[in-house]
Amino acid sequence: MQLEQGFSLAASPDVAWQAFHDLTLLVDCLPGASIPPGAAPPVPGADMPLLFKVRLGPIAAGFAGQGRITLDEASRSGSFAGSAVDAKTNSRVKGEARFLLQPEGAGVRVALSVDYTITGALAQFSREGIVRALAEQLTRQLADNLQTRLPQASDAAAATLGLAGDAEADRTAERCATASAVGVPASMPAGGRAGTPTDTSSIDLWSLLRAWLRDLFGRHRA
């Protein structure tokens, strides 16, 4: 399955691109993701271990695997390819996320394209509507968390991107309403540091599934 996502940052392309070189920062900003304790600091172009936690009702799945980020300095683009397995549910996920940074007004736009496959017990929850809602939630929280960790942008840049963000939010409001039921904070507390525990340590797929079903049947009744 392929998903197209994107977000804007109130920061210069240079500042945002440097953040993509800090893999510890990126992992710390992604809800549910973490680097195993004791692992060497990850660097672009090298294999990196990664953990990702999700909750499905009473089931707590912890995917463990590895991936690699490659960066193209000339085009300010790159990709993350990896695979992971949850031993408890015998579920496996494999995929690649490609990203491209482009100037947008006084800030920068990050375009994301994700290809993935899920096998095992959790594959039954990989319906496009559920996964798309989850992807939108994760993308919003990644953007919010990353924004708080970047050097403060000018008021003009923030205002410009704020207007663009409002327009995009209007276009995707119906899909994002489902994702809002995940129940994790929208952003990391200001001043947080890499490795600081937060409430974004796992994603509740069960809440997302129930909200998606309510939304689905609600549209059918209408």
Side-chain angles (χ1 to χ4, degrees):
M1 184 179 294
Q2 185 175 44
L3 298 173
E4 302 293 335
Q5 298 288 320
F7 58 89
S8 299
L9 294 171
S12 70
D14 288 341
V15 170
W17 181 238
Q18 284 305 310
F20 276 76
H21 289 70
D22 188 343
L23 305 191
T24 300
L25 170 65
L26 294 180
V27 171
D28 195 42
C29 289
L30 181 63
S34 64
I35 297 173
V43 295
D47 289 338
M48 57 179 288
L50 191 64
L51 302 176
F52 191 80
K53 297 181 180 179
V54 296
R55 287 183 291 111
L56 186 59
I59 301 175
F63 286 90
Q66 64 178 14
R68 173 178 294 196
I69 288 184
T70 57
L71 301 175
D72 185 329
E73 300 292 341
S75 62
R76 284 181 173 162
S77 64
S79 66
F80 172 79
S83 61
V85 60
D86 173 54
K88 291 183 179 180
T89 63
N90 195 29
S91 298
R92 297 174 181 272
V93 61
K94 181 179 181 180
E96 180 179 13
R98 295 173 294 277
F99 50 89
L100 172 66
L101 278 66
Q102 294 180 310
E104 181 185 56
V108 64
R109 179 72 178 175
V110 182
L112 300 172
S113 177
V114 181
D115 289 298
Y116 75 94
T117 57
I118 300 176
T119 59
L122 293 182
Q124 60 185 309
F125 300 103
S126 63
R127 294 178 182 270
E128 182 176 359
I130 300 175
V131 174
R132 192 172 300 278
L134 175 62
E136 289 176 349
Q137 177 77 351
L138 289 175
T139 300
R140 285 205 315 275
Q141 293 188 54
L142 171 63
D144 289 343
N145 293 342
L146 187 57
Q147 184 69 72
T148 66
R149 305 286 291 274
L150 294 176
Q152 292 299 310
S154 66
D155 292 340
T160 299
L161 292 177
L163 293 175
D166 289 343
E168 182 174 343
D170 291 340
R171 292 193 299 269
T172 61
E174 182 177 353
R175 295 198 306 270
C176 291
T178 303
S180 66
V182 174
V184 289
S187 62
M188 179 181 296
R193 296 188 303 274
T196 301
T198 72
D199 291 336
T200 61
S201 59
S202 64
I203 299 298
D204 189 350
L205 288 181
W206 182 243
S207 295
L208 185 62
L209 174 61
R210 288 184 296 181
W212 180 78
L213 289 174
R214 287 197 301 267
D215 181 67
L216 176 64
F217 288 120
R219 290 198 304 268
H220 284 175
R221 286 195 297 268

